[in-house]
Amino acid sequence: MAAPTKGPRLGGGPAHERLLLANLAAALFTHKSIKTTETKAKRLRPVAERLITFAKRGDLHARRRVLAVIQDKNVVHELFTEIAPLVELREGGYTRITKLGFRKGDNASMVQIELVLEPVNPKPKSAKKTAAAASTAPAAKAEEPEAPAEETSTEETSTDEVATDEATTDATATDETATDAASTDAAAAEDAPAEDAK
C-alpha cells in the first residue's frame, strides 16, 4: 500500500482527489504540457510517472491498470503507443516542473508540468570509474589470446626493420665496448694485487 501524502487533500475528499489527479494526468498525456498550481503539480508527478512506468511495460495487465485510473481509452492508447516508446531508455524522471510565478487573483504559485520526451544522453563516466576500469583492463587483456596483427604496407615494414636493425647494431656495439672496458679494468685490478704481493 502506498504511503499517504502529507498535508491537506486536493478537492473535497479522497475520491475527489483521485478523480482530479486522473484528469490532470489525462490532460498531461494529451497535451504533453499543462499549467497548474504548484501543489497540484507536485501531487500529479508521482501519479503520472507511475502510469508511464506501466505504459513502458506495455502488456495487457499494465494497460488495464492504467485504464483503472484514466477512463479515456484514447488517452491510454496515446500513452502506450506514442509516449512510452519515447521514454523507453529513460529510467525515471519523466516529468519536469518549471515555476511560472504567481497567479494574479489569489497569488497561488503557478508551474508548468511537462513530459520529458528528449532522447537520453549517456552520462559521462567519472574519473574514479575510468581509473577502476583501466586497472582491470590489463588483467583482462592478459587472459585473452592476442589478436592477429594487422597487415601493414611493405614500405612501412622495411623502414621499421631498417630502423630496428640500426638500433640493434648500435646497442650491440655499445654493449661490446662496455664489456671490453669492464674486462680490461678487471684484468688490471687482478694484476695490481699480484704485483703488490711480490
Side-chain angles (χ1 to χ4, degrees):
M1 186 170 150
T5 54
K6 293 183 179 179
R9 276 200 242 21
L10 302 174
H16 189 189
E17 183 183 39
R18 273 197 307 273
L19 289 172
L20 195 145
L21 291 175
N23 287 336
L24 282 171
L28 178 64
F29 298 145
T30 303
H31 302 291
K32 313 294 189 281
S33 173
I34 57 172
K35 293 178 184 176
T36 184
T37 60
E38 186 175 1
T39 308
K40 287 180 184 177
K42 285 184 176 179
R43 297 292 280 272
L44 171 63
R45 173 179 261 175
V47 174
E49 294 199 358
R50 186 163 179 261
L51 295 176
I52 293 172
T53 304
F54 281 131
K56 281 174 61 177
R57 204 182 299 167
D59 57 353
L60 180 62
H61 181 60
R63 188 176 288 261
R64 286 179 175 162
R65 294 279 301 267
V66 173
L67 275 166
V69 177
I70 299 175
Q71 303 294 320
D72 192 352
K73 290 183 180 180
N74 294 330
V75 175
V76 174
H77 178 72
E78 185 176 351
L79 174 63
F80 274 75
T81 57
E82 294 178 17
I83 296 171
L86 293 174
V87 295
E88 187 176 4
L89 299 176
R90 189 174 293 277
E91 296 178 0
Y94 309 118
T95 57
R96 176 187 299 131
I97 295 177
T98 309
K99 292 190 177 184
L100 298 176
F102 297 96
R103 189 159 52 191
K104 195 169 185 180
D106 59 355
N107 206 32
S109 177
M110 298 298 288
V111 297
Q112 179 174 1
I113 182 168
E114 58 188 339
L115 296 175
V116 181
L117 301 176
E118 295 90 25
V120 180
N121 294 327
K123 290 184 179 178
K125 295 184 179 179
S126 65
K128 292 180 182 178
K129 290 182 180 178
T130 53
S135 64
T136 57
K141 287 182 180 177
E143 295 174 0
E144 296 177 2
E146 292 183 10
E150 297 179 6
E151 295 182 13
T152 57
S153 64
T154 54
E155 294 176 7
E156 292 177 2
T157 307
S158 61
T159 55
D160 290 342
E161 289 175 359
V162 171
T164 309
D165 291 340
E166 289 176 2
T168 307
T169 308
D170 292 342
T172 308
T174 53
D175 288 342
E176 289 175 359
T177 308
T179 307
D180 292 341
S183 61
T184 307
D185 291 341
E190 288 175 2
D191 290 342
E195 290 176 3
D196 290 340
K198 289 180 184 178

